[in-house]
Amino acid sequence: MSETSRVIDATPERIFAVLADGWSYASWVVGAAHIRDVEDGWPAVGTSIHHRVGPWPVQINDSTTVRAMEPARLLELDARMWPLGRAVIRLTLEPATPTSTLVRMAETVVSGAVRSLPDPVQALLLKPRNAEALGRLGDIAVHRRPV
């Protein structure tokens, strides 16, 4: 498992609003290239985002499904990374101050080629990508105008 964290200058509710907007997924998830569909009810448990992953022109259609969700507190995803496998990604939101949030992103590869790599090697691959994802998530949460 690889865990990355970041304090974001936004409330848990504001950050969760970005997570709950399935159409914004490719804006903050590194590697997601295009959202093809967001199922009604996202981010309810069992709903999915259908997206493309990878660089153009070798993008692959894939999906990410919600495993657990608590508004403004937790979002756990089953992310398919074909052909590399699958990962469980757990995002937890904890108030750090009245106006900021500690966001933790834990990723566990559960199947596929990357799973066979030793945990320290997996962490070397995942940590920089997840740090970038949290940076993007923070930028959107801080700068997006409320609707």
Side-chain angles (χ1 to χ4, degrees):
M1 177 184 49
S2 173
E3 185 173 302
T4 306
S5 63
R6 179 185 194 103
V7 174
I8 296 174
D9 291 327
T11 63
E13 293 79 13
R14 192 160 170 90
I15 296 165
F16 196 82
V18 177
L19 299 175
D21 175 6
W23 291 103
S24 75
Y25 186 80
S27 297
W28 64 270
V29 174
V30 176
H34 173 76
I35 303 302
R36 297 178 293 117
D37 187 33
V38 177
E39 292 181 2
D40 289 341
W42 174 269
V45 173
T47 59
S48 297
I49 293 175
H50 303 275
H51 51 80
R52 290 192 184 120
V53 295
W56 186 89
V58 288
Q59 294 176 343
I60 298 165
N61 289 344
D62 229 326
S63 63
T64 296
T65 303
V66 177
R67 293 170 45 106
M69 186 273 291
E70 295 176 39
R73 191 168 174 281
L74 166 77
L75 185 63
E76 185 174 281
L77 305 170
D78 182 10
R80 293 175 41 201
M81 307 178 299
W82 188 92
L84 301 176
R86 282 182 33 251
V88 173
I89 300 164
R90 185 176 183 91
L91 293 138
T92 57
L93 312 176
E94 299 173 26
T97 71
T99 59
S100 67
T101 304
L102 173 62
V103 181
R104 286 190 176 96
M105 183 178 196
E107 183 167 1
T108 304
V109 178
V110 294
S111 70
V114 176
R115 178 71 189 114
S116 64
L117 297 174
D119 288 343
V121 175
Q122 288 182 40
L124 281 172
L125 296 172
L126 298 174
K127 196 164 183 78
R129 182 186 69 121
N130 291 346
E132 174 65 18
L134 290 181
R136 292 177 185 188
L137 176 64
D139 287 343
I140 295 168
V142 168
H143 298 291
R144 178 160 79 171
R145 291 192 174 127
V147 284

